[in-house]
């Protein structure tokens, strides 16, 4: 049922927009099935696609506004105004996880023919090559991090580091990409 109590078709084209609050890390989902909402999300998607051609890791910072529909009734519809851009960290900068350790099954036919020597679990662990002074420094840094108070927003939510960095607007050279070398 809709807001007026009338039955509606349950199979409607619905558009979803996933949002992240960069201060708190809260994820939100906006959904709508109106022409105005579809237009707003489509306009935002066009702007993001254009910016990502120049800067692939670009993420928009948006504010919700309203504007009028281009019809004779001038009904209101949502509009997402981009107030800035930030850049997510590239996946190449993230440390890679080590490959899982391959273990041989005890009851397999190859294990019976070639028994592997028993290893102690301590032999498999790599010993660190750092000196004690560097480990002491690391411990001090960890203590300092723990002592820092968690920042709160105006509404009392805990701020979260999302790893997003502010990004400058692209230059005309980046946008046009038509430099001719002589």
């Amino acid at each position: 049922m809709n807001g007026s109590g009338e039955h509606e078709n349950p199979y409607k084209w619905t558009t979803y927009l996933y949002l992240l609050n960069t201060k708190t890390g809260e994820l939100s989902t906006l959904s709508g099935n109106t022409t105005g909402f579809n237009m707003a999300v489509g306009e935002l998607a066009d702007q993001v696609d254009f910016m990502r051609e120049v800067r692939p890791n670009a993420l928009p910072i948006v504010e919700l506004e309203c504007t009028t529909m281009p019809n004779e009734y001038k009904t209101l519809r949502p509009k997402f105004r981009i107030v800035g851009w930030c850049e997510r960290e590239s996946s190449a900068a993230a440390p890679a996880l080590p490959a899982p350790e391959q273990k041989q099954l005890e009851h397999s036919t190859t294990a019976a023919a070639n028994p592997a020597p028993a290893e102690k679990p301590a032999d498999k662990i790599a010993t660190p090559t750092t000196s004690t002074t560097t480990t002491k420094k690391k411990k001090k840094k960890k203590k300092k991090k723990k002592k820092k108070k968690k920042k709160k927003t105006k509404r009392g939510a805990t701020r979260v580091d999302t790893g997003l960095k502010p990004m400058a607007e692209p230059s005309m050279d980046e946008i046009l990409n038509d430099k001719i070398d002589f």
Side-chain angles (χ1 to χ4, degrees):
M1 286 196 193
N2 62 11
S4 355
E6 300 170 354
H7 288 285
E8 287 186 335
N9 183 357
Y11 303 104
K12 287 189 172 184
W13 184 266
T14 304
T15 305
Y16 296 94
L17 181 64
Y18 301 105
L19 302 171
L20 168 71
N21 185 334
T22 58
K23 294 178 183 172
T24 63
E26 177 184 11
L27 293 171
S28 302
T29 304
L30 278 178
S31 64
N33 55 13
T34 63
T35 303
F37 187 78
N38 289 339
M39 288 173 67
V41 173
E43 290 169 356
L44 177 64
D46 290 343
Q47 293 174 6
V48 171
D49 287 343
F50 178 77
M51 182 62 137
R52 286 191 178 165
E53 286 180 13
V54 178
R55 299 199 178 149
N57 290 331
L59 294 172
I61 300 171
V62 298
E63 285 184 353
L64 179 62
E65 294 181 341
C66 73
T67 188
T68 57
M69 290 284 285
N71 61 14
E72 62 187 67
Y73 304 109
K74 302 297 180 199
T75 54
L76 296 178
R77 71 170 181 89
K79 176 177 175 58
F80 299 102
R81 183 171 65 93
I82 297 178
V83 295
W85 293 90
C86 59
E87 185 173 15
R88 63 180 160 204
E89 293 180 11
S90 65
S91 59
L97 294 174
E101 187 178 312
Q102 297 289 331
K103 293 185 179 181
Q104 194 172 26
L105 296 175
E106 292 179 21
H107 298 293
S108 69
T109 57
T110 57
N114 300 324
E119 294 181 20
K120 297 177 187 174
D123 292 339
K124 294 180 183 178
I125 300 172
T127 56
T129 57
T130 58
S131 65
T132 56
T133 55
T134 57
T135 55
K136 285 180 184 178
K137 287 179 185 176
K138 287 180 184 177
K139 287 180 182 178
K140 284 182 183 178
K141 284 182 183 178
K142 284 183 183 178
K143 285 181 183 179
K144 285 182 183 178
K145 286 182 183 177
K146 288 181 183 177
K147 288 181 183 178
K148 288 183 183 178
K149 285 188 175 180
K150 292 183 179 179
K151 295 180 183 178
K152 299 277 184 173
T153 62
K154 291 179 185 177
R155 296 182 182 166
T158 305
R159 290 183 188 259
V160 175
D161 180 25
T162 56
L164 301 175
K165 301 179 284 186
M167 182 188 323
E169 293 291 325
S171 66
M172 284 305 268
D173 291 337
E174 287 179 307
I175 293 172
L176 297 176
N177 195 20
D178 63 351
K179 186 176 179 181
I180 300 172
D181 295 326
F182 291 102

